[in-house]
Amino acid sequence: MRGLLTHFSGVPLIATACAATALALPSLPLPANTANAAPVAAVSAATAVSGAGDPGSTRSLPLAPLSRARVLGAAPEQGLYRAGGEHFSLLGVVWDDPGAELRGQVQVRTRAAGTGAWSDWQDVETHNGGHGPDPGTAEAASRRVRGATAPLWVGASEGVDVRVRAASVPVRDGRRAAGARTSAPLPSGLRLELVDPGDDGTPPDAPAGTPHTVPDTEAARAASAANTDVAGFGALEIPELDKAATERELTRLKGPARTASYIGARPRIVTRLGWGADESLREPGLGYTRTVKAAFVHHTGSGNQYSCSQTPSVIRSIYRYHVKSMGWRDIGYNFLVDKCGTVYEGRAGGVARAVLGAHTLGFNGDSMGIAVIGTYTGTEPSDAVVTALARLTAWKLGLNGADPQGRTYLTSGGGNLYRKGKNVQLNVISGHRDGFATDCPGAALYARLGTARSAASDYQGR
């Protein structure tokens, strides 16, 4: 099996079949007793305020032909125009078949809420197929899964204009003149997704420090309980520890080491509760893999036009896009890092655990995915981003005995670089493009991974 789903109490619910032997749940418990955990703020019955804000929404609008031409029954140019009346901050285009590729260009312009000004045309990243659950897993087999572009953060908007143009390709017909070209067929069922992230659930008149939401549903309690090995129940963030405290925590979680242990100090991590995750969106249960042997670094491809104060809204939008628009069971990444270097918990299951993600198609087993929020094809990541990647990997890989500067073997679940079942040697800290033919995480971010590996190794004390 490539993963195991559990109820938050630890009782197995569903297993996804990919191999002949069952995987044991991670050895880290989900204890009610957190006497040894680092002291953090927790939700108390006396101060908790139930989130009553805007929960967010997704509008899914079918695209219409923009010309009378047809290629294999589909219009080679499709689009949609809405001058106003919408309410969204992130958008993307989806289609029916997750295995189909959109060969063409997607461009959008949006009308800002408040000012009514139209933006310039922007490109939406269409090569997004390398993200997702592994082939053959229950998550990948769900009928809700769709093909999709990367999401694009556009800020608070009320109008949108989108156009999709098929790429020009050579005609593969010996009866046609040499050099003849035609339009590539566009995937069927093209739809524009408009995502409103809502708010974090904090009432406008709430006192400072009031929890954003209360874990008052089974799904919310499960997500929060999964972190009680390192934090109090209902924590909005998991505080950083120094190296000595982290080493003591490692002993508590894993037991006394028989050989020398190398681990970096635990960084501060904003929890799902902290960024305002609506736990009712995701599927119930928590999915795990056996261990974390490697970390795949991504960029979200969602653009860099966000402020760090907007990061929770951006993450809520990506979460909603992954679940409601793309049909995944939860946000795909295990962690996210914003341009200021703040680390956020991604997929539910516990930051100290080996949570099965949907980030690197074919290599989600025994790995974790870290997404830097933004587009780093040509934009250089800040030093804060590289430091955050190094600190996070030094800690999380250290929990699992992995050397950030080492290499490891992972078994491919199938993709466009490696066939299913192939044993592949990869860097312990790899870019998405190392496991799948893609530009992700962008050339500029990929070029900094060597620095991140070296720094992570230093943080571990190697």
Side-chain angles (χ1 to χ4, degrees), residues 167 177 432:
H432 184 189

Side-chain angles (χ1 to χ4, degrees), residues 154-357:
V154 293
S157 303
E158 62 183 12
V160 63
D161 193 3
V162 60
R163 59 192 183 194
V164 179
R165 290 195 178 102
S168 174
V169 296
V171 173
R172 298 184 181 278
D173 185 346
R175 295 172 296 178
R176 301 286 292 274
R181 302 186 70 83
T182 186
S183 297
L186 291 174
S188 63
L190 289 171
R191 303 182 71 87
L192 175 67
E193 304 288 296
L194 301 178
V195 180
D196 171 15
D199 58 37
D200 62 8
T202 304
D205 56 350
T210 299
H212 302 302
T213 55
V214 174
D216 56 359
T217 66
E218 184 173 343
R221 287 192 294 270
S224 190
N227 281 320
T228 54
D229 42 16
V230 293
F233 181 78
L236 302 182
E237 65 176 55
I238 296 165
E240 64 180 336
L241 297 179
D242 62 25
K243 198 170 191 308
T246 303
E247 289 170 346
R248 290 193 296 271
E249 181 179 76
L250 175 64
T251 300
R252 177 173 61 81
L253 295 174
K254 298 287 191 176
R258 296 182 180 180
T259 59
S261 297
Y262 299 95
I263 188 169
R266 188 181 74 195
R268 171 179 174 265
I269 302 171
V270 178
T271 66
R272 290 170 66 91
L273 192 65
W275 54 261
D278 179 356
E279 300 294 351
S280 69
L281 292 180
R282 66 177 177 85
E283 289 187 15
L286 304 172
Y288 297 96
T289 186
R290 292 169 298 189
T291 186
V292 177
K293 297 168 64 178
F296 286 98
V297 177
H298 304 253
H299 68 172
T300 59
S302 52
N304 302 315
Q305 300 303 310
Y306 71 95
S307 65
C308 292
S309 64
Q310 292 176 314
T311 299
S313 294
V314 178
I315 297 176
R316 290 197 302 274
S317 298
I318 294 173
Y319 169 45
R320 179 174 278 276
Y321 186 71
H322 283 183
V323 176
K324 302 297 288 185
S325 300
M326 298 182 69
W328 299 351
R329 66 184 313 273
D330 194 351
I331 192 170
Y333 309 114
N334 298 105
F335 297 93
L336 299 98
V337 177
D338 71 11
K339 64 173 73 173
C340 293
T342 301
V343 178
Y344 293 82
E345 178 184 15
R347 182 164 286 209
V351 298
R353 300 168 184 274
V355 177
L356 180 65

Side-chain angles (χ1 to χ4, degrees), residues 63 66 77-80 91 93 102 104-110 119-126 149 152 160-165 192:
L63 301 190
L66 298 180
E77 187 172 359
Q78 301 180 36
L80 179 76
L91 56 79
V93 172
L102 195 162
Q105 183 181 41
V106 178
Q107 291 186 310
V108 297
R109 63 185 185 121
T110 54
S119 71
D120 294 332
W121 286 98
Q122 301 183 73
D123 288 321
V124 179
E125 175 57 59
T126 59
T149 67
L152 179 67
V160 63
D161 193 3
V162 60
R163 59 192 183 194
V164 179
R165 290 195 178 102
L192 175 67

Side-chain angles (χ1 to χ4, degrees), residues 83-95:
E86 303 294 343
H87 185 68
F88 64 97
S89 295
L90 178 140
L91 56 79
V93 172
V94 302
W95 52 90

Side-chain angles (χ1 to χ4, degrees), residues 361-386:
L361 194 147
F363 290 103
N364 291 305
D366 294 345
S367 73
M368 67 174 177
I370 307 168
V372 180
I373 300 171
T375 301
Y376 293 94
T377 304
T379 300
E380 289 288 330
S382 67
D383 289 343
V385 164
V386 178

